[in-house]
PDB file of all heavy atoms in Angstrom:
ATOM      1  N   GLY A 439      -1.660  45.363  29.412  1.00  0.00           N
ATOM      2  CA  GLY A 439      -1.142  46.437  28.557  1.00  0.00           C
ATOM      3  C   GLY A 439       0.274  46.198  28.057  1.00  0.00           C
ATOM      4  O   GLY A 439       0.781  46.995  27.287  1.00  0.00           O
ATOM      5  N   ALA A 440       0.891  45.041  28.427  1.00  0.00           N
ATOM      6  CA  ALA A 440       2.238  44.757  27.955  1.00  0.00           C
ATOM      7  C   ALA A 440       2.172  44.444  26.466  1.00  0.00           C
ATOM      8  O   ALA A 440       1.447  43.565  26.058  1.00  0.00           O
ATOM      9  CB  ALA A 440       2.842  43.570  28.685  1.00  0.00           C
ATOM     10  N   PRO A 441       2.914  45.129  25.620  1.00  0.00           N
ATOM     11  CA  PRO A 441       2.829  44.913  24.160  1.00  0.00           C
ATOM     12  C   PRO A 441       3.142  43.452  23.810  1.00  0.00           C
ATOM     13  O   PRO A 441       4.100  42.905  24.243  1.00  0.00           O
ATOM     14  CB  PRO A 441       3.866  45.875  23.580  1.00  0.00           C
ATOM     15  CG  PRO A 441       4.063  46.924  24.633  1.00  0.00           C
ATOM     16  CD  PRO A 441       3.852  46.217  25.934  1.00  0.00           C
ATOM     17  N   ALA A 442       2.279  42.876  22.970  1.00  0.00           N
ATOM     18  CA  ALA A 442       2.460  41.467  22.603  1.00  0.00           C
ATOM     19  C   ALA A 442       3.748  41.246  21.805  1.00  0.00           C
ATOM     20  O   ALA A 442       4.354  40.236  21.899  1.00  0.00           O
ATOM     21  CB  ALA A 442       1.274  40.981  21.796  1.00  0.00           C
ATOM     22  N   ASN A 443       4.161  42.266  21.037  1.00  0.00           N
ATOM     23  CA  ASN A 443       5.359  42.119  20.217  1.00  0.00           C
ATOM     24  C   ASN A 443       6.673  42.198  21.000  1.00  0.00           C
ATOM     25  O   ASN A 443       7.720  42.037  20.444  1.00  0.00           O
ATOM     26  CB  ASN A 443       5.373  43.102  19.077  1.00  0.00           C
ATOM     27  CG  ASN A 443       5.315  44.563  19.556  1.00  0.00           C
ATOM     28  OD1 ASN A 443       5.378  44.799  20.781  1.00  0.00           O
ATOM     29  ND2 ASN A 443       5.197  45.482  18.657  1.00  0.00           N
ATOM     30  N   ARG A 444       6.566  42.457  22.279  1.00  0.00           N
ATOM     31  CA  ARG A 444       7.771  42.512  23.130  1.00  0.00           C
ATOM     32  C   ARG A 444       8.019  41.228  23.863  1.00  0.00           C
ATOM     33  O   ARG A 444       8.997  41.091  24.588  1.00  0.00           O
ATOM     34  CB  ARG A 444       7.664  43.645  24.154  1.00  0.00           C
ATOM     35  CG  ARG A 444       7.609  45.012  23.539  1.00  0.00           C
ATOM     36  CD  ARG A 444       7.625  46.087  24.648  1.00  0.00           C
ATOM     37  NE  ARG A 444       7.401  47.413  24.050  1.00  0.00           N
ATOM     38  CZ  ARG A 444       7.266  48.492  24.788  1.00  0.00           C
ATOM     39  NH1 ARG A 444       7.325  48.446  26.107  1.00  0.00           N
ATOM     40  NH2 ARG A 444       7.055  49.654  24.209  1.00  0.00           N
ATOM     41  N   ILE A 445       7.110  40.246  23.748  1.00  0.00           N
ATOM     42  CA  ILE A 445       7.212  39.032  24.486  1.00  0.00           C
ATOM     43  C   ILE A 445       8.075  38.049  23.746  1.00  0.00           C
ATOM     44  O   ILE A 445       7.961  37.861  22.579  1.00  0.00           O
ATOM     45  CB  ILE A 445       5.795  38.410  24.734  1.00  0.00           C
ATOM     46  CG1 ILE A 445       4.969  39.382  25.572  1.00  0.00           C
ATOM     47  CG2 ILE A 445       5.917  37.047  25.388  1.00  0.00           C
ATOM     48  CD1 ILE A 445       3.596  38.967  25.805  1.00  0.00           C
ATOM     49  N   ALA A 446       9.048  37.434  24.449  1.00  0.00           N
ATOM     50  CA  ALA A 446       9.983  36.566  23.819  1.00  0.00           C
ATOM     51  C   ALA A 446       9.387  35.328  23.223  1.00  0.00           C
ATOM     52  O   ALA A 446       8.327  34.892  23.683  1.00  0.00           O
ATOM     53  CB  ALA A 446      11.062  36.145  24.864  1.00  0.00           C
ATOM     54  N   GLY A 447      10.033  34.797  22.207  1.00  0.00           N
ATOM     55  CA  GLY A 447       9.551  33.551  21.568  1.00  0.00           C
ATOM     56  C   GLY A 447       9.812  32.365  22.418  1.00  0.00           C
ATOM     57  O   GLY A 447      10.455  32.421  23.497  1.00  0.00           O
ATOM     58  N   PRO A 448       9.356  31.175  21.993  1.00  0.00           N
ATOM     59  CA  PRO A 448       9.508  29.958  22.770  1.00  0.00           C
ATOM     60  C   PRO A 448      10.967  29.600  22.970  1.00  0.00           C
ATOM     61  O   PRO A 448      11.818  29.899  22.112  1.00  0.00           O
ATOM     62  CB  PRO A 448       8.843  28.897  21.907  1.00  0.00           C
ATOM     63  CG  PRO A 448       7.950  29.629  20.975  1.00  0.00           C
ATOM     64  CD  PRO A 448       8.600  30.955  20.761  1.00  0.00           C
ATOM     65  N   ARG A 449      11.282  28.994  24.097  1.00  0.00           N
ATOM     66  CA  ARG A 449      12.660  28.595  24.433  1.00  0.00           C
ATOM     67  C   ARG A 449      13.130  27.670  23.339  1.00  0.00           C
ATOM     68  O   ARG A 449      12.460  26.692  22.897  1.00  0.00           O
ATOM     69  CB  ARG A 449      12.706  27.955  25.745  1.00  0.00           C
ATOM     70  CG  ARG A 449      14.090  27.544  26.202  1.00  0.00           C
ATOM     71  CD  ARG A 449      14.082  26.943  27.597  1.00  0.00           C
ATOM     72  NE  ARG A 449      13.627  27.915  28.541  1.00  0.00           N
ATOM     73  CZ  ARG A 449      13.486  27.630  29.837  1.00  0.00           C
ATOM     74  NH1 ARG A 449      13.806  26.441  30.299  1.00  0.00           N
ATOM     75  NH2 ARG A 449      13.069  28.570  30.711  1.00  0.00           N
ATOM     76  N   GLY A 450      14.355  27.911  22.871  1.00  0.00           N
ATOM     77  CA  GLY A 450      14.971  27.032  21.883  1.00  0.00           C
ATOM     78  C   GLY A 450      14.644  27.459  20.432  1.00  0.00           C
ATOM     79  O   GLY A 450      15.181  26.855  19.524  1.00  0.00           O
ATOM     80  N   SER A 451      13.888  28.478  20.211  1.00  0.00           N
ATOM     81  CA  SER A 451      13.599  28.882  18.832  1.00  0.00           C
ATOM     82  C   SER A 451      14.797  29.611  18.304  1.00  0.00           C
ATOM     83  O   SER A 451      15.645  30.143  19.003  1.00  0.00           O
ATOM     84  CB  SER A 451      12.373  29.829  18.848  1.00  0.00           C
ATOM     85  OG  SER A 451      12.604  30.986  19.630  1.00  0.00           O
ATOM     86  N   SER A 452      14.901  29.631  16.982  1.00  0.00           N
ATOM     87  CA  SER A 452      16.055  30.236  16.290  1.00  0.00           C
ATOM     88  C   SER A 452      15.991  31.741  16.364  1.00  0.00           C
ATOM     89  O   SER A 452      14.950  32.336  16.716  1.00  0.00           O
ATOM     90  CB  SER A 452      16.062  29.785  14.849  1.00  0.00           C
ATOM     91  OG  SER A 452      15.005  30.343  14.133  1.00  0.00           O
ATOM     92  N   LEU A 453      17.099  32.373  16.036  1.00  0.00           N
ATOM     93  CA  LEU A 453      17.153  33.792  16.023  1.00  0.00           C
ATOM     94  C   LEU A 453      16.128  34.389  15.038  1.00  0.00           C
ATOM     95  O   LEU A 453      15.442  35.346  15.325  1.00  0.00           O
ATOM     96  CB  LEU A 453      18.571  34.282  15.702  1.00  0.00           C
ATOM     97  CG  LEU A 453      18.738  35.810  15.536  1.00  0.00           C
ATOM     98  CD1 LEU A 453      18.399  36.532  16.838  1.00  0.00           C
ATOM     99  CD2 LEU A 453      20.188  36.106  15.099  1.00  0.00           C
ATOM    100  N   LEU A 454      16.083  33.793  13.826  1.00  0.00           N
ATOM    101  CA  LEU A 454      15.116  34.256  12.851  1.00  0.00           C
ATOM    102  C   LEU A 454      13.695  34.083  13.325  1.00  0.00           C
ATOM    103  O   LEU A 454      12.856  34.988  13.118  1.00  0.00           O
ATOM    104  CB  LEU A 454      15.310  33.499  11.510  1.00  0.00           C
ATOM    105  CG  LEU A 454      16.561  33.929  10.749  1.00  0.00           C
ATOM    106  CD1 LEU A 454      16.703  33.071   9.478  1.00  0.00           C
ATOM    107  CD2 LEU A 454      16.526  35.368  10.353  1.00  0.00           C
ATOM    108  N   ALA A 455      13.418  32.957  13.971  1.00  0.00           N
ATOM    109  CA  ALA A 455      12.064  32.717  14.503  1.00  0.00           C
ATOM    110  C   ALA A 455      11.690  33.768  15.524  1.00  0.00           C
ATOM    111  O   ALA A 455      10.602  34.276  15.567  1.00  0.00           O
ATOM    112  CB  ALA A 455      11.958  31.335  15.122  1.00  0.00           C
TER     113      ALA A 455
END
Side-chain angles (χ1 to χ4, degrees):
N443 58 6
R444 295 183 187 176
I445 297 176
R449 182 177 298 179
S451 60
S452 68
L453 175 61
L454 288 176

